[in-house]
């Protein structure tokens, strides 16, 4: 099985146990929350995207067959875990899922040891996949900070602190996974002396990520844009701060209005910090 397959099956095992424990304790909100977190943020956000090349046959017949098997097991167990909370929807989907028979109400509870003859818990796969996710998230954060489109081709390089980290990321399947999900032209491994001169950096667990921006960003133009944006945000912060510093406003305004202004102030301050951090990095690149 591929790393994404091993990872999702291991995560499914942990979530199944969490849901079972919560249901036994009548903590239905915790059970529902655990399933929601798993389905939305792990199964949909990461796993389905990661296995698309395998499902589409780009990696060969064996990879496609394994991805389909793992996907079926996860889908089957997700429906069973969700059934107490969304009975009608899960019953309908269960009826359409190949390999199922009868009502989902008679389905057995997920068996944590029945996943394709693999260990139900795979801590190594979880750690390796988390490292891959951290690198991809780092690239995506740089795109967001630099106002770059998601589809803009970029090259990225990793300076790893140890051979262990490098080995976990440098294998062809890991590199291909990162390149696919981060939409990179290449992922290389470099030393401190080899880092690109014009690059945005991000710190990931055990490595420094450099995203090469040469020919991608006009540094001078970006500095100008960020400076204007910071000035605009600073002006907005000043207006909200004056409101919050006005005793008459605080005394007469409804509590929800005051709370909304405080939240607005915090959001603007956070935005200002991020913009100033990006501006600082751009100035470093300019020099």
């Amino acid at each position: 099985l591929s790393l994404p397959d091993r990872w999702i099956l291991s995560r499914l095992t942990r979530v199944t146990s969490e849901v079972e424990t919560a249901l036994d304790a009548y903590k239905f909100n915790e059970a529902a929350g655990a399933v929601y977190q798993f389905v939305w943020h792990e199964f949909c956000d990461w796993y389905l995207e990661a296995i698309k090349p395998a499902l589409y046959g780009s990696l060969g017949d064996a990879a496609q067959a394994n991805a389909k098997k793992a996907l079926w097991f996860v889908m089957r167990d997700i429906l069973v875990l969700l059934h107490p909370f969304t009975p009608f929807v899960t019953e309908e989907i269960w009826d359409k899922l190949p390999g199922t028979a009868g009502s989902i109400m008679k389905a057995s509870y997920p068996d944590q040891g029945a996943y394709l003859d693999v260990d139900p818990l795979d801590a190594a796969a979880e750690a390796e996949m988390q490292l891959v996710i951290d690198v991809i998230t780092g690239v995506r954060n740089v795109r967001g900070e630099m106002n770059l489109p998601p589809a803009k081709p970029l090259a990225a390089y990793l300076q790893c602190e140890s051979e262990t980290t490098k080995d976990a990321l440098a294998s062809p399947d890991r590199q291909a996974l990162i390149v696919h999900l981060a939409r990179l032209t290449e992922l290389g491994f470099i030393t401190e002396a080899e880092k690109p001169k014009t690059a945005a950096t991000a710190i990931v667990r055990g490595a420094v990520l450099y995203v090469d921006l040469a020919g991608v960003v006009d540094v001078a133009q970006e500095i100008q844009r960020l400076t204007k944006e910071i000035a605009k945000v600073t002006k907005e912060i000043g207006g909200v701060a004056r409101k919050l510093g006005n005793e008459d406003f605080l005394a007469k305004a409804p509590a929800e209005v005051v709370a909304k202004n405080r939240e607005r102030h915090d959001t603007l301050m956070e935005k200002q910090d991020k913009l100033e951090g990006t501006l600082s990095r751009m100035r470093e690149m300019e020099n």
Side-chain angles (χ1 to χ4, degrees):
L1 293 176
S2 69
L3 174 61
D5 292 335
R6 289 164 45 220
W7 168 73
I8 199 68
L9 291 171
S10 186
R11 289 295 306 132
L12 175 62
T13 297
R14 294 190 189 278
V15 170
T16 299
S17 180
E18 291 173 20
V19 173
E20 185 175 13
T21 300
L23 289 177
D24 286 345
Y26 298 98
K27 296 180 179 178
F28 303 119
N29 61 319
E30 292 184 12
V35 182
Y36 171 84
Q37 177 71 25
F38 173 74
V39 173
W40 189 254
H41 296 294
E42 295 178 284
F43 180 69
C44 293
D45 279 356
W46 291 104
Y47 180 65
L48 290 181
E49 294 301 318
I51 65 170
K52 279 181 178 179
L55 286 178
Y56 294 159
S58 303
L59 306 181
D61 293 342
Q64 184 182 53
N66 282 337
K68 285 183 177 180
K69 288 177 184 178
L71 178 59
W72 185 88
F73 272 100
V74 179
M75 280 289 294
R76 184 261 178 210
D77 284 7
I78 283 175
L79 291 175
V80 175
L81 293 175
L82 280 173
H83 186 64
F85 310 103
T86 56
F88 302 108
V89 172
T90 49
E91 185 74 66
E92 185 71 16
I93 298 174
W94 179 266
D95 185 57
K96 301 293 189 295
L97 187 68
T100 58
S103 171
I104 192 174
M105 289 188 289
K106 295 183 179 181
S108 60
Y109 196 76
D111 181 355
Q112 297 177 41
Y115 300 131
L116 308 173
D117 298 322
V118 298
D119 291 334
L121 281 176
D122 192 334
E126 291 188 48
E128 289 174 23
M129 188 65 183
Q130 188 57 55
L131 189 55
V132 168
I133 289 172
D134 289 345
V135 173
I136 295 165
T137 302
V139 175
R140 290 176 177 176
N141 287 343
V142 168
R143 287 185 185 277
E145 290 174 2
M146 298 299 172
N147 202 30
L148 297 173
K152 182 74 174 178
L154 297 173
Y157 304 92
L158 284 166
Q159 179 193 334
C160 299
E161 295 175 0
S162 67
E163 287 300 315
T164 303
T165 301
K166 184 176 179 180
D167 290 343
L169 294 168
S171 64
D173 62 321
R174 307 289 195 278
Q175 283 186 274
L177 182 58
I178 294 171
V179 167
H180 165 61
L181 290 178
R183 298 188 179 184
L184 299 174
T185 55
E186 67 170 309
L187 176 68
F189 294 84
I190 60 173
T191 63
E192 170 72 20
E194 298 172 317
K195 68 181 183 180
K197 292 182 180 179
T198 306
T201 61
I203 306 300
V204 299
R205 184 166 47 93
V208 179
L209 171 70
Y210 297 97
V211 179
D212 194 355
L213 299 176
V216 176
V217 174
D218 184 323
V219 176
Q221 186 177 2
E222 188 64 12
I223 288 175
Q224 188 178 27
R225 185 191 71 81
L226 288 168
T227 301
K228 288 181 179 179
E229 185 70 14
I230 290 171
K232 179 182 175 183
V233 172
T234 302
K235 184 177 180 180
E236 289 184 60
I237 290 173
V240 178
R242 281 192 294 275
K243 271 189 177 182
L244 294 174
N246 187 328
E247 294 295 334
D248 193 45
F249 169 76
L250 295 176
K252 294 180 180 179
E256 61 269 20
V257 173
V258 175
K260 194 171 183 179
N261 274 272
R262 292 189 193 281
E263 183 180 349
R264 172 71 174 157
H265 183 268
D266 292 343
T267 301
L268 288 169
M269 289 295 293
E270 183 179 351
K271 183 177 181 180
Q272 184 186 54
D273 287 342
K274 288 181 178 179
L275 287 170
E276 288 178 345
T278 304
L279 178 61
S280 176
R281 285 192 289 273
M282 295 302 293
R283 282 177 172 156
E284 287 176 8
M285 283 190 276
E286 186 181 41
N287 297 329

